Amino acid sequence: MYDLIVVGGGPAGLTAAIYALRKRINVLLVTKDLGGKTNFRLGLPWIEDYQVIRGLEIINKFRSEVDYLEFARHMEGVDKISKDGDIFKVVTKGGGELQSRAVIVATGTRQKRLDVPGEKEYIMKGLCYSALSYAPLFIDRTTVVVGDGDLALRSAAELATVAKHVYLVCETGGFLDSPLGKKLNVAGNVTVLAGTKVVEIKGDQFARAAVVQDPSGKKKDIEAEGIFIEMALVANTKMVAALVKLDDQGRIIVDCSNRTNVPGLFAAGDVTNTYAEQVLVAVGEGAKAALSAYEYLLPKL
Ligand SMILES: Cc1cc2nc3c(=O)[nH]c(=O)nc-3n(C[C@H](O)[C@H](O)[C@H](O)COP(=O)(O)OP(=O)(O)OC[C@H]3O[C@@H](n4cnc5c(N)ncnc54)[C@H](O)[C@@H]3O)c2cc1C
């Protein structure tokens, strides 16, 4: 029986695990990998390594400490988390069952993919899923944003503040009536391609063009230096969907101390309804969740 199980080894989970270790809690980190999304970094031909701060560099100390402390980690996916009385049961993919008095869920999100030829080949080579993180690197560059919803509109609007041109490819054009949509429609450096879809990504070493198709089936290449797929971020909450309260986007609802509606169950990082999917935000939320779990556990330690 553990005092605390942390599920997910990205910035939020790694930070939570290290904080718990420092508090001398009997903690186990259960995760599919160490580092989470910081293992990905967008490569751009005009950006040198020294010009950016890498997410992995920020959390590397935490990562290597957990890597070294073998007893504190278990490398496997989690299938289900349930609660029986005061005890949590964490069932892993292989069917193993772990028990603890408290749990922190820090399983992040996954990006909805386009699933077209060329997408996989150019992931993080000019094609990426986070304008929020990379828009400032596209000063005077031509970009394509793909998506129909709020995420795509916000990404296109942010890019439009720095980029030479932004093409917004939105198949249904559903959100174009919103204030942001109206703003994009009249912006001088934005072309809204409503009713079109991306059918292929082309390039050499890097993605160089999105092939778009209009409703009549006609295709054309849109050359760009950055292609952003901004369709949706899907929270990895399947393992707790039957246990905890989620918001309308499927994210775990937490209060400002990272508590969920289930006593003893905490959550941190992108998987929650906390504002902004960023490494430093996730690190801070992971620390808060661990301190909050510690306070919950204190009478039981
Ligand atoms: C392409 C891309 C580029 C980005 N670039 C930047 C950037 O430059 N700067 C920045 O600040 N932010 C960036 N971000 C955002 C940043 O990476 C995230 O906000 C941050 O990683 C969130 O941390 P997290 O710990 O909440 O989740 P994640 O990093 O997603 O980690 C989730 C962890 O949970 C594990 N996991 C998932 N499901 C399970 C399961 N069922 N069982 C066990 N483990 C599980 C995963 O293996 C992973 O270890 C970027 C995001 C993307 C997608």
Side-chain angles (χ1 to χ4, degrees), residues 7-14 30-38 40-42 53 55 58 76-79 93 106-109 111 124 128-130 132-134 233 236 239 268-271 276-283:
V7 184
L14 280 175
V30 186
T31 182
K32 293 197 264 193
D33 66 36
L34 296 180
K37 285 206 283 291
T38 61
F40 300 96
R41 187 177 64 105
L42 180 63
I53 302 168
I58 293 168
E76 194 181 357
V78 166
D79 250 355
K93 294 270 180 214
T107 43
T109 55
Q111 307 80 31
M124 306 317 275
C128 109
Y129 303 83
S130 183
L132 170 68
S133 303
Y134 295 112
L233 292 172
N236 297 319
M239 81 290 290
D270 286 4
V271 77
E277 297 86 18
Q278 289 287 272
V279 172
L280 290 177
V281 175
V283 165

Side-chain angles (χ1 to χ4, degrees), residues 176-233:
L176 292 172
D177 251 359
S178 66
L180 209 48
K182 285 177 184 157
K183 188 190 159 188
L184 290 172
N185 254 324
V186 296
N189 66 340
V190 177
T191 304
V192 178
L193 298 168
T196 58
K197 60 180 179 182
V198 172
V199 291
E200 190 182 347
I201 306 294
K202 286 182 181 171
D204 41 44
Q205 265 179 295
F206 294 92
R208 302 285 184 191
V211 183
V212 297
Q213 187 176 41
D214 69 19
S216 71
K218 204 169 142 205
K219 292 180 189 171
K220 75 169 176 192
D221 289 6
I222 298 181
E223 287 182 12
E225 289 149 299
I227 298 170
F228 292 88
I229 315 298
E230 303 284 352
M231 304 209 300
L233 292 172

